[in-house]
Amino acid sequence: MTERAWPAGVATAIGSMPGVDPVEAAAVVFGELPDFPHMPELPARGVGADTIGRTAALLVDLAVEVVPSGYRMTGRPGHDHRRALDLLRWDLDAVQQARENAGSPPVLKIQLAGPWTLGAGIELARGHRVLTDRGALRDVTASLLDGLVQHVEELTTRIGAPIVVQLDEPSLPAVLGGRLPTPSGYGNVPAVPEPEVRELLTTTIDRIGGLTGQPVVVHCCAPRPPIGLLRSAGAGGVAFDVSQLSEAPAALLDEIGETWDSGTSLFLGLVPATNSAKAPSLKDLAMPALNLVDRLGFNRSILAEQAVPTPACGLAGATNEWMRRALALSRDLGKAFLEPPENW
């Protein structure tokens, strides 16, 4: 599903933001990104507020607990799981309050860990990563999708807008490359073959698209994101950090061109996630996108039609001042893609 669910010339953000106040974060997002806001994530709140903990809070009939090595599956919900649920409910209330103050947006984006990153980030009871047991990985993914049904229904009722789901897959290159360490730290989990990775992603994306009726965005901010794989798995949008393309091989650029050719949108991470010494101009920020389009031989109008500018990655490490500035710059880039300044 690749039909665009968001207006042309809009911007959004990846998900995480600084601070611990969900009401303030949601108000800022709805104020700075009124046409494509996202549900903020505030990892500074600690356990249960990070990507893995927030996603695990959606699991149905499964639960996690925190152990010294991270998150682990457990037989019944305990304090850690209930805390993640409470944080998620507070975030729902905050987004609803922002909507009541700012009005319903054309679309709202939410984020959760994709199946391979979730399977890499949670351990089984015996200490191995969930993804090492393909049956357990399928069970966890099915549980997540069941919980997502309830989550999307509640958000749709509260916000009154279509919901776009973003799957965060930062661990995907390590999964494909066999670079995830084992619990002992003395070895790595064997690489997962690309067809197997694609199959689970395709199933997940298809299920989510059927649930929301909207394209599914997949985000990977790791170096050399597998853009072609994500497109072939059915992603309606692929989000990545454009600065990672500075020394990209020709094959990756070909994948980007094929992705645009297929009608898939690219969520281009163009605005630094943390403040830089020199305040960038809008043209400076846009140049990597303009150069990419020119190099691939597309008309620059494709940036208005099939691109959404974003910060390079999450903004959890930014100051409050830069976070607001980064969202505003992303919004201004979207407008400039739609109506380019004369000096571009």
Side-chain angles (χ1 to χ4, degrees):
M1 182 179 298
T2 57
E3 184 178 350
R4 189 178 66 206
W6 43 87
V10 300
T12 191
I14 296 303
S16 66
M17 296 176 66
V20 296
D21 185 343
V23 173
E24 179 183 1
V28 170
V29 169
F30 273 68
E32 299 292 349
L33 301 171
D35 295 320
F36 200 176
H38 68 285
M39 189 171 178
E41 302 171 1
L42 302 174
R45 291 181 295 180
V47 171
D50 58 293
T51 298
I52 299 296
R54 284 172 64 84
T55 304
L58 297 176
L59 296 175
V60 174
D61 297 330
L62 294 175
V64 299
E65 63 181 349
V66 177
V67 295
S69 55
Y71 289 99
R72 179 173 291 179
M73 303 301 302
T74 183
R76 64 185 64 183
H79 174 266
D80 298 325
H81 197 92
R82 290 193 296 270
R83 184 174 191 275
L85 277 170
D86 287 342
L87 291 172
L88 190 58
R89 292 192 186 104
W90 293 339
D91 292 345
L92 285 166
D93 291 342
V95 169
Q96 182 177 358
Q97 181 176 329
R99 193 274 301 168
E100 290 170 352
N101 293 333
S104 291
V107 64
L108 175 73
K109 181 169 71 68
I110 63 174
Q111 305 81 221
L112 60 150
W116 292 104
T117 292
L118 189 65
I122 301 177
E123 297 176 356
L124 296 165
R126 60 183 182 273
H128 297 287
R129 297 177 191 266
V130 166
L131 65 77
T132 62
D133 183 329
R134 300 297 194 268
L137 179 60
R138 287 193 296 270
D139 290 344
V140 168
T141 303
S143 173
L144 172 61
L145 291 171
D146 288 343
L148 186 61
V149 172
Q150 303 169 25
H151 189 51
V152 168
E153 287 177 351
E154 182 170 4
L155 271 167
T156 302
T157 300
R158 287 179 179 235
I159 307 303
I163 305 299
V164 168
V165 174
Q166 172 185 302
L167 297 175
D168 289 322
E169 285 284 11
S171 298
L172 199 50
V175 170
L176 290 163
R179 297 192 300 274
L180 289 173
T182 57
S184 68
Y186 292 112
N188 289 335
V189 175
V192 180
E194 185 171 310
E196 190 173 345
V197 169
R198 182 187 297 107
E199 181 181 7
L200 183 59
L201 279 173
T202 299
T203 301
T204 304
I205 289 169
D206 286 349
R207 175 82 183 275
I208 295 173
L211 165 64
T212 63
Q214 307 299 333
V216 176
V217 179
V218 185
H219 167 241
C220 182
C221 59
R224 308 291 170 83
I227 292 173
L229 184 154
L230 299 179
R231 175 191 60 77
S232 64
V238 178
F240 60 95
D241 178 357
V242 177
S243 71
Q244 300 285 0
L245 302 181
S246 58
E247 298 181 1
L252 181 55
L253 295 175
D254 289 342
E255 290 179 21
I256 293 173
E258 291 166 1
T259 299
W260 256 335
D261 264 336
S262 72
T264 303
S265 294
L266 296 181
F267 285 58
L268 302 176
L270 295 166
V271 180
T274 55
N275 198 2
S276 54
K278 178 185 176 183
S281 69
L282 201 62
K283 185 176 182 180
D284 290 338
L285 295 173
M287 282 310 298
L290 299 175
N291 291 337
L292 177 64
V293 170
D294 294 344
R295 184 173 180 182
L296 294 175
F298 289 97
N299 190 296
R300 288 185 174 184
S301 63
I302 199 171
L303 291 173
E305 299 162 0
Q306 288 177 236
V308 177
T310 72
C313 202
L315 296 168
T319 63
N320 285 328
E321 293 75 18
W322 179 250
M323 174 267 294
R324 289 176 180 269
R325 180 66 176 144
L327 297 184
L329 286 168
S330 298
R331 182 190 68 233
D332 291 345
L333 277 172
K335 293 178 179 178
F337 284 172
L338 189 60
E339 297 182 7
E342 291 183 2
N343 66 341
W344 284 20

